[in-house]
Amino acid sequence: AQTVTQSQPEMSVQEAETVTLSCTYDTSESDYYLFWYKQPPSRQMILVIRQEAYKQQNATENRFSVNFQKAAKSFSLKISDSQLGDAAMYFCAYRSGRNYGGSQGNLIFGKGTKLSVKP
Amino acid sequence: DTEVTQTPKHLVMGMTNKKSLKCEQHMGHRAMYWYKQKAKKPPELMFVYSYEKLSINESVPSRFSPECPNSSLLNLHLHALQPEDSALYLCASSLRGGTQYFGPGTRLTVL
C-alpha cells in the first residue's frame, strides 16, 4: 500500500523569505502523480502544483516549485517570496497512475504541514 | 474554469433530522467524490462516483446515502447522524482518474 509522510507538522517563514515543505512517499509503482494542495482557514482545498512521475523536470507554478527526487521518493515544495496569503495547511498527496477496479484516481494524503507567515 | 460549488456552507442538524448536501460542477468531469475532514486532519474518502455509478464506498455507515442524479450533480443525504459525524464535508471532481478539484465544503454540526 502507498503511504505519504509529511514530517513537519508546523513551519514558519518570514514574509518575502523562502520556505521548503517536505514530503516523502512509499510506493512500488512506477506510474503515479504527486500533488500539493493548500487549505487556508477559509477551508477550500486548492491545488498548488502537480507532478507526473514520468517527467524528470520539476513542476513550477509562479512562486511555487517542487524538488522531485524519484529514487529517494521525495517531493518537497518550495515557496519563494512568501506572502501572508500563503498561510495555510499544506497537504502532499499521491495518486496511482493505474485504476484498480473501481478506484478512480483516489488520493492518498499526508497528515499536512501548517505554514505560518510572519509579517 | 475549475469551479466546484457546494451548498449549504454551514448546516446544523439534530440527530433525528434528514438533510442533504449538494455538490455541482460544470467542467465535464465524470468522476465525483465525497470526503469527510475532521479538524487538523487530511480528508478521508467516503464515496466515488464514476459516470454516475457508485464505484467506491469506503465502508461508510448507511446513515450517509450518496446520490448522483446526473453528470454534474452529486448529493449526500444525511439521516440519523451522530455528534461524531460533525465535520467538514468536501466534494471533488475530476476527469476520470485525473487531478481532483475541490469545492469549498459544508461545515456540518450534529447536535
Side-chain angles (χ1 to χ4, degrees):
Chain A
Q2 297 82 22
T3 59
V4 177
T5 302
Q6 293 179 249
S7 58
Q8 306 152 316
E10 295 189 24
M11 292 280 285
S12 181
V13 63
Q14 205 71 33
E15 197 175 6
E17 297 294 309
T18 296
V19 64
T20 299
L21 308 184
S22 301
C23 173
T24 58
Y25 59 95
D26 190 26
T27 184
S28 58
E29 299 177 328
S30 58
D31 180 20
Y32 54 89
Y33 301 82
L34 296 164
F35 305 87
W36 279 99
Y37 283 91
K38 165 186 176 182
Q39 190 175 36
S42 65
R43 78 197 185 203
Q44 178 148 12
M45 193 80 76
I46 301 165
L47 177 68
V48 175
I49 204 163
R50 158 192 164 121
Q51 175 80 44
E52 292 89 345
Y54 61 84
K55 288 187 178 179
Q56 292 186 337
Q57 186 172 4
N58 290 326
T60 299
E61 287 288 341
N62 300 315
R63 298 183 293 107
F64 299 87
S65 62
V66 297
N67 183 3
F68 175 46
Q69 300 289 326
K70 191 171 183 178
K73 297 179 182 173
S74 171
F75 182 61
S76 60
L77 175 70
K78 186 171 84 171
I79 306 173
S80 304
D81 185 25
S82 297
Q83 300 175 1
L84 294 177
D86 296 332
M89 183 73 86
Y90 286 81
F91 290 100
C92 178
Y94 170 102
R95 177 176 76 76
S96 172
R98 294 174 57 189
N99 286 324
Y100 294 95
S103 172
Q104 301 297 334
N106 296 346
L107 291 171
I108 299 169
F109 287 95
K111 291 187 176 182
T113 296
K114 183 178 180 181
L115 178 67
S116 303
V117 181
K118 297 178 181 177
Chain B
D1 183 13
T2 56
E3 187 177 26
V4 177
T5 60
Q6 288 187 245
T7 54
K9 288 185 178 180
H10 301 274
L11 179 62
V12 179
M13 59 187 291
M15 289 190 285
T16 58
N17 292 156
K18 286 185 180 181
K19 296 286 184 183
S20 296
L21 310 184
K22 178 180 173 181
C23 172
E24 199 162 6
Q25 58 87 15
H26 296 285
M27 297 178 279
H29 290 173
R30 303 310 297 270
M32 296 186 77
Y33 312 76
W34 279 116
Y35 289 88
K36 174 183 178 180
Q37 187 180 25
K38 290 285 210 178
K40 301 183 180 179
K41 300 287 187 182
E44 299 173 14
L45 184 66
M46 300 174 72
F47 303 103
V48 181
Y49 273 84
S50 179
Y51 291 86
E52 295 93 70
K53 286 184 169 40
L54 183 65
S55 62
I56 290 182
N57 176 341
E58 292 285 358
S59 302
V60 179
S62 59
R63 57 186 183 267
F64 295 91
S65 175
E67 178 196 21
C68 190
N70 58 57
S71 60
S72 300
L73 192 56
L74 185 67
N75 297 320
L76 185 63
H77 302 298
L78 314 172
H79 174 56
L81 295 192
Q82 304 297 311
E84 60 264 28
D85 296 322
S86 298
L88 179 67
Y89 288 83
L90 292 165
C91 173
S93 72
S94 71
L95 290 171
R96 191 170 184 272
T99 300
Q100 291 186 28
Y101 295 93
F102 286 81
T106 294
R107 174 76 63 193
L108 174 67
T109 302
V110 181
L111 300 177

